[in-house]
Amino acid sequence: MDRIRVTGGNELNGVIPISGAKNAALPLMIASLLTDDTLTLENVPHLADVEQLIRILGNHGVDYSVTGRRQQQDVGYSRTVHFTARNIVDTTAPYELVSKMRASFWVIGPLLARTGEAKVSLPGGCAIGTRPVDLFISGLKALGAEIEIENGYVHASAPNRLRGARFIFPKVSVGATHVMLMAACLADGETVIENAAMEPEVVNLSSCLNAMGARIKGAGTPTITISGVTSLSGARHRVIPDRIETGTYAMAVAMTGGDVLLDGAKAKLLAAALEAIARTGVEISEESGGVRVRRNGGVISPVDVATAPFPGFPTDLQAQFMALMTRANGTSHITETIFENRFMHVQELARLGARISLSGQTAIVEGVSELEGAPVMATDLRASVSLVIAALAAKGETIINRVYHLDRGFERLEDKLARCGADITRISD
Ligand code: EPZ
């Protein structure tokens, strides 16, 4: 199993290209199930989660082909992928596949809308919390689906087409909003979703669906209106830049000091996070090609944050921000409001010398003047990358185990950081 070795202490200087967003690419790929035409997605990141979803979609009958890597860049950077679901050959998403990636549960929406049935394994627990599917089920039931849960599978059927309805989400859910959008596109009549997720990935999916012939209004606001159509066509659509990758590298620069252009990043996709990072003492400016982050000396100021649905501070940047705060000049409070168990990185950061205590859903981080390298490992993607950020500033060598978590969501992480001066290498056993 690969590991990553980091020797801390180097500033970061240069350019980091920002990849297409994992969490935008996944629902867009799933949307290809809605049409028998080809859906072409540009800027699809080369990640383990994308490869896994390609396998899952293949099981339902989706063919794919790859073209057009970004010019002048090595193999392995974002590319253009064509997805064609000419025939849906299987409406079952089995446990063996769904248990590997929660987002694959989302196939339930398009399979049901296009074929009138879907049988999808419950995704089960996950390292960051229980993550139930009740919101998906009540949303699809509101559209007229009959749903039964049996032997760990959700059976959904709507032999006479889904029908439009008004549905109010009791809680904001990104995934359930994606699924309702995809299902309602092909429903009979108008659907109104209230308290919808406003994340940029929802807006990206909605504009792709509209390019495919759907009639969706209001994505990016709490109320989305969808007028159902009878079929969708193919389209060509671009995956938005990854706001979590952007925030992660911005925090890496905040940690080490230096001057980096995050090429292709869009500041408006992560305004709350950039504002918090700026308050730590970093200069952030929007430039034509991306976002520039600079810190020349000076201390890291402590800043309190609480995660929230978009446009709030993203839960997917919470672990990285905590890593940054471990070296702040004072005490900060980091509150997690989305997932009940997303502090798995605390113990590992402590191995590097961080001083963090937990009080319910709040981590109290007392900044230290120096972290020290150590062997560490993490149990999820964002927690793993928080260890990389801490390691970049730690004295001596840190070995990060279980790199496959990083490969799920960060395209060529060590390559991007090394080109900016970090002492980071992958060790393949
Ligand atoms: C998406 O997960 C992202 N995943 C997550 O990123 C991200 O952390 C999360 O949104 C929140 O922003 C992808 O886009 C692939 P939710 P999702 O449904 O859709 C509860 C990463 O690291 N809930 O918005 O699964 C749920 O338990 C990943 O890239 C219910 O109670 O998240 C959570 O507390 C991790 N019932 C809250 O809602 C339901 O039926 C928000 O979850 C569904 C969700």
Side-chain angles (χ1 to χ4, degrees):
M1 220 180 288
D2 288 4
R3 290 171 292 157
I4 281 184
R5 178 173 45 218
V6 180
T7 304
N10 294 1
E11 276 195 352
L12 294 172
N13 287 292
V15 177
I16 296 182
I18 296 301
S19 300
K22 168 180 83 80
N23 289 349
L26 300 179
L28 289 167
M29 291 164 64
I30 289 172
S32 69
L33 288 166
L34 285 164
T35 174
D36 58 9
D37 275 356
T38 298
L39 177 63
T40 296
L41 298 176
E42 296 172 1
N43 204 28
V44 176
H46 196 264
L47 298 170
D49 269 11
V50 166
E51 299 309 310
Q52 174 67 11
L53 185 58
I54 285 177
R55 279 191 286 279
I56 289 167
L57 293 174
N59 182 56
H60 298 298
V62 179
D63 291 325
Y64 81 101
S65 61
V66 180
T67 53
R69 300 185 196 286
R70 276 198 213 166
Q71 274 179 355
Q72 295 166 335
Q73 286 181 337
D74 303 340
V75 171
Y77 281 95
S78 301
R79 60 246 151 100
T80 296
V81 189
H82 312 270
F83 296 93
T84 313
R86 188 85 58 220
N87 297 302
I88 302 292
V89 297
D90 195 340
T91 55
T92 299
Y95 173 77
E96 301 72 55
L97 295 177
V98 178
S99 59
K100 293 206 177 108
M101 188 177 41
R102 182 178 160 88
S104 56
F105 182 79
W106 303 347
V107 299
I108 195 167
L111 286 177
L112 179 64
R114 180 160 161 200
T115 71
E117 62 168 2
K119 182 180 165 193
V120 182
S121 168
L122 285 165
C126 158
I128 60 175
T130 50
R131 304 180 85 184
V133 293
D134 54 315
L135 301 174
F136 296 80
I137 291 174
S138 43
L140 293 173
K141 275 188 175 168
L143 296 181
E146 280 184 20
I147 297 192
E148 278 174 25
I149 300 177
E150 219 177 54
N151 305 120
Y153 278 81
V154 179
H155 296 248
S157 66
N160 300 315
R161 207 175 160 200
L162 294 168
R163 45 173 202 274
R166 180 159 179 265
F167 182 73
I168 305 174
F169 275 113
K171 177 175 187 179
V172 176
S173 163
V174 176
T177 302
H178 285 321
V179 164
M180 283 296 275
L181 275 181
M182 290 189 273
C185 278
L186 291 179
D188 184 15
E190 186 179 271
T191 298
V192 179
I193 306 171
E194 306 270 16
N195 199 25
M198 298 191 279
E199 268 64 7
E201 293 75 20
V202 169
V203 179
N204 201 218
L205 174 65
S206 152
S207 51
C208 176
L209 292 169
N210 280 342
M212 293 164 73
R215 291 162 61 202
I216 304 171
K217 283 191 190 141
T221 75
T223 305
I224 305 181
T225 306
I226 305 125
S227 301
V229 296
T230 50
S231 66
L232 294 174
S233 59
R236 189 176 183 96
H237 184 77
R238 190 167 175 80
V239 178
I240 53 173
D242 196 318
R243 63 195 170 101
I244 305 304
E245 191 194 26
T246 305
T248 300
Y249 289 128
M251 289 186 218
V253 180
M255 187 65 149
T256 62
D259 183 344
V260 171
L261 175 69
L262 302 172
D263 190 22
K266 287 215 164 64
K268 69 170 191 225
L269 301 182
L270 71 159
L274 290 181
E275 199 233 342
I277 298 166
R279 281 169 51 215
T280 70
V282 175
E283 232 180 281
I284 297 183
S285 53
E286 258 191 277
E287 307 209 341
S288 59
V291 173
R292 187 158 171 205
V293 184
R294 258 174 296 185
R295 184 166 77 77
N296 294 320
V299 294
I300 299 172
S301 301
V303 173
D304 294 344
V305 297
T307 62
F310 193 85
F313 187 96
T315 173
D316 290 347
L317 285 172
Q318 180 256 108
Q320 299 90 313
F321 199 75
M322 195 181 299
L324 176 59
M325 288 298 94
T326 62
R327 298 246 3 253
N329 182 31
T331 301
S332 59
H333 300 81
I334 298 178
T335 305
E336 173 59 53
T337 71
I338 309 289
F339 293 109
E340 73 268 27
N341 187 22
R342 210 174 194 184
F343 282 141
M344 311 288 277
H345 40 285
V346 168
Q347 281 191 348
E348 295 304 300
L349 288 169
R351 292 170 60 74
L352 299 172
R355 275 198 219 134
I356 307 169
S357 57
L358 292 178
S359 168
Q361 289 297 93
T362 299
I364 301 148
V365 189
E366 206 185 311
V368 294
S369 56
E370 197 167 76
L371 297 172
E372 276 191 18
V376 288
M377 77 174 147
T379 44
D380 84 81
L381 163 63
R382 312 303 176 185
S384 305
V385 85
S386 80
L387 298 173
V388 174
I389 291 180
L392 288 171
K395 189 167 156 243
E397 187 179 281
T398 298
I399 302 281
I400 298 152
N401 294 290
R402 298 202 184 166
V403 169
Y404 60 84
H405 285 300
L406 289 171
D407 293 337
R408 287 187 44 212
F410 288 91
E411 198 173 48
R412 303 188 65 146
L413 171 105
E414 67 277 18
D415 190 33
K416 290 185 184 186
L417 287 169
R419 282 174 195 225
C420 288
D423 187 345
I424 180 169
T425 44
R426 178 178 288 248
I427 313 165
S428 298
D429 296 324

